[in-house]
Amino acid sequence: AWRDDFVRKAMDYDFPVHRAYQDLNEKELHLLWHGNKKVKGIWAFFEFVESKIEQIQYRVMLSKYRARVTCPDCKGSRLRPDAQYVKVNGKSITDLVLLPIQDALQFFTALPTHLSEADKQIADRLLAEIINRLAYLEKVGLGYLTLNRLTKDLSGGEYQRIQLATALGSALVGSMYILDEPSIGLHPRDTQRLVQVLKDLRDLGNTVIVVEHEEEVMQAADQIIDLGPHAGSQGGELILSMSAGELEKSDKKIKLSLPHSTINEKYTLKDSHTYNFLKGFDKIDVPKSRRAWHDSIDITGARQHNLQNVSVKFPLNVLTVVTGVSGSGKSTLVKQVFLPALRARMNQTVEDIGKYDSITGGIKLLQGVEYVDQNPIGRSARSNPATYTKVYDHIRDLFADQPLSKKRGYTSAHFSFNVEKGRCDTCEGDGKIKIEMQFMALLMSWK
């Protein structure tokens, strides 16, 4: 009824009722959402729904349509509208923070040509700092990010590269940088740029230690330290330590006696998986055949962030990889569009859904959908694989079912480290005790 009333009255304002939503201009979008004195928009409808919140059907309707959206006043910049009135070369601070870093860098680089001599002197030092820091972000392969991108939305690799850019901007000397797989999330096309940043840090007079599996990073290293030979209880020993140049010249049949090389006496070079892959003795063969697929789930018109009206098929009953350079929209497509759209169609709770036209295909063939990411598992510090996988519930039930437990009145709670009945009173289920070193300040004062 609200829609039909809007369509009838909107005709008086030449509103294009048959045009796709994404093709509407700002004036038409404003009328659709906010209406005017004669016609009510979408906001008015939901205000009406909220006024009936005591009725279950309206609460269900609201839950289906609630999501986080960009603030219409600040456009996501998080600044008061007043700040937009101040402009530099025609751009406000809101315009700049919404620009990709690569475009912002071009703007500030070209800015001096548009300033008077007096303004150049005022802005000289500021522009040097701005251009320097933006250039480092571009150098580590983050030119596609906007300046106001939330840190929580960054991948692990992106976050590390921002820290790298900060380190380069600080120009520290004599420091040690330790990085844990900075190439995570980085496309092979951009690996050399990361390597150059690491070399720049080294050339400033710093020590750079990198935990890494990427071949190009290892080949660029001055020294390679290989631990192994395998994982878990079968690992934990130094297998070899040598420069990339020595590794290139080495042969697994001989023992080396080079000045900066170490090979564990218990092992030979052939025991090092890293060595065998770097030298080409081991390799992962391309499969000779691929599994055929027939059913798929199809997304059409995905338009979130960097996605430009993408339509794609996700095959079922096969292993599918979504790849592309950093910033091309892989995570946006899968995490922000495909996953929430699929969950919504399966009547699961969804907070935010990216923009898309339709999702079709073999959705009814699925019994469920699970999202596995790199976030720490569990909600508490006491969580472990046993509790997270629920196997610990059965273990506690097993112990509670023993004759001695029944005799003493023990329940499964008595074998849990999350509740008072079972957890240790001293550490409260943490397994460790934090001892405040109050005497350290006194010792330092004596020294």
Side-chain angles (χ1 to χ4, degrees):
W2 282 69
R3 179 199 61 203
D4 294 343
D5 181 65
F6 177 86
V7 170
R8 283 194 303 270
K9 294 178 179 178
M11 298 291 285
D12 298 334
Y13 302 96
D14 294 326
F15 184 87
V17 294
H18 299 294
R19 186 177 299 169
Y21 179 85
Q22 66 266 23
D23 297 330
L24 298 177
N25 59 36
E26 286 192 22
K27 182 179 178 181
E28 292 161 350
L29 285 171
H30 187 275
L31 178 63
L32 175 63
W33 281 94
H34 299 278
N36 55 31
K37 293 181 179 179
K38 294 185 178 180
V39 61
K40 294 182 178 180
I42 295 175
W43 283 123
F45 168 72
F46 280 108
E47 287 174 357
F48 163 76
V49 174
E50 286 185 333
S51 69
K52 305 289 185 180
I53 196 70
E54 70 279 357
Q55 299 181 35
I56 183 64
Q57 65 267 31
Y58 288 110
R59 290 202 297 272
V60 172
M61 175 178 284
L62 277 176
S63 67
K64 289 176 61 178
Y65 290 101
R66 274 199 173 119
R68 292 183 179 271
V69 296
T70 303
C71 175
D73 291 335
C74 70
K75 299 179 181 178
S77 67
R78 288 170 286 177
L79 296 171
R80 289 169 58 92
D82 308 9
Q84 300 182 35
Y85 301 144
V86 181
K87 297 189 177 183
V88 175
N89 193 27
K91 287 190 179 295
S92 67
I93 189 170
T94 299
D95 297 330
L96 291 175
V97 298
L98 295 177
L99 281 177
I101 289 170
Q102 55 196 12
D103 295 341
L105 178 59
Q106 293 177 4
F107 172 82
F108 284 108
T109 303
L111 185 58
T113 61
H114 301 282
L115 299 177
S116 64
E117 289 300 321
D119 288 342
K120 281 183 183 178
Q121 292 182 0
I122 296 172
D124 183 55
R125 182 59 184 167
L126 291 173
L127 282 176
E129 288 292 332
I130 292 171
I131 292 173
N132 182 43
R133 294 172 190 277
L134 290 178
Y136 283 131
L137 287 169
E138 168 77 10
K139 199 169 185 178
V140 296
L142 297 175
Y144 57 89
L145 294 179
T146 58
L147 287 171
N148 71 332
R149 177 76 173 266
L150 293 177
T151 307
K152 68 178 183 179
D153 292 337
L154 299 175
S155 68
E158 287 172 336
Y159 184 71
Q160 283 208 44
R161 278 176 274 151
I162 285 181
Q163 290 182 306
L164 269 177
T166 304
L168 281 169
S170 63
L172 291 176
V173 177
S175 299
M176 177 181 287
Y177 292 92
I178 301 176
L179 298 93
D180 188 7
E181 298 193 68
S183 66
I184 289 177
L186 192 65
H187 193 272
R189 185 201 70 166
D190 300 318
T191 303
Q192 279 303 320
R193 299 170 72 178
L194 173 64
V195 169
Q196 188 56 50
V197 169
L198 298 177
K199 288 184 176 180
D200 289 345
L201 276 177
R202 176 202 61 188
D203 295 341
L204 286 172
N206 300 301
T207 300
V208 183
I209 300 174
V210 185
V211 178
E212 189 55 85
H213 299 96
E214 177 64 41
E215 181 178 353
E216 287 187 73
V217 179
M218 286 191 279
Q219 295 284 14
D222 299 310
Q223 188 78 4
I224 296 176
I225 299 174
D226 185 31
L227 298 180
H230 304 295
S233 61
Q234 300 178 18
E237 295 194 52
L238 176 67
I239 304 301
L240 62 87
S241 174
M242 62 176 62
S243 70
E246 293 169 346
L247 193 68
E248 181 67 27
K249 298 174 185 177
S250 65
D251 189 300
K252 67 179 181 178
K253 298 178 182 177
I254 63 173
K255 289 279 187 179
L256 296 182
S257 58
L258 298 172
H260 300 294
S261 299
T262 302
I263 300 178
N264 195 321
E265 292 293 331
K266 293 171 57 177
Y267 304 102
T268 61
L269 284 176
K270 67 179 181 180
D271 293 312
S272 169
H273 294 294
T274 302
Y275 174 84
N276 287 327
F277 274 99
L278 287 177
K279 297 288 285 186
F281 298 126
D282 287 343
K283 60 182 180 179
I284 300 175
D285 294 322
V286 176
K288 296 180 180 178
S289 62
R290 309 284 186 176
R291 178 181 292 186
W293 57 273
H294 305 285
D295 299 308
S296 65
I297 297 176
D298 308 337
I299 282 281
T300 58
R303 302 179 302 280
Q304 188 78 357
H305 295 318
N306 297 339
L307 297 178
Q308 305 293 327
N309 200 28
V310 172
S311 298
V312 63
K313 293 178 180 289
F314 289 92
L316 298 178
N317 299 317
V318 294
L319 173 64
T320 300
V321 174
V322 180
T323 186
V325 298
S326 297
S328 58
K330 305 181 297 296
S331 297
T332 301
L333 174 63
V334 175
K335 181 180 177 181
Q336 299 187 24
V337 179
F338 177 68
L339 175 66
L342 184 58
R343 281 178 169 170
R345 285 292 304 273
M346 299 177 72
N347 296 319
Q348 296 182 12
T349 303
V350 179
E351 289 188 3
D352 299 330
I353 303 179
K355 299 175 182 176
Y356 70 101
D357 290 335
S358 65
I359 178 170
T360 57
I363 300 176
K364 292 183 178 180
L365 299 176
L366 299 179
Q367 294 182 349
V369 54
E370 295 290 341
Y371 180 68
V372 182
D373 59 14
Q374 296 177 337
N375 293 330
I377 63 173
R379 296 182 179 179
S380 72
R382 293 186 291 270
S383 178
N384 59 35
T387 58
Y388 190 78
T389 57
K390 308 295 185 187
V391 68
Y392 201 65
D393 294 348
H394 301 291
I395 294 175
R396 291 189 295 114
D397 290 341
L398 174 64
F399 277 89
D401 197 40
Q402 299 306 305
L404 183 59
S405 297
K406 292 180 178 180
K407 182 178 179 179
R408 295 187 175 183
Y410 289 173
T411 64
S412 59
H414 285 81
F415 300 94
S416 171
F417 44 73
N418 282 321
V419 295
E420 291 185 4
K421 286 184 178 180
R423 72 185 183 195
C424 170
D425 293 331
T426 304
C427 67
E428 295 185 343
D430 285 337
K432 296 180 180 178
I433 302 174
K434 182 179 180 182
I435 301 176
E436 298 292 346
M437 307 293 282
Q438 298 289 350
F439 59 87
M440 288 298 290
L442 184 60
L443 288 177
M444 293 300 292
S445 65
W446 285 348
K447 183 177 180 182

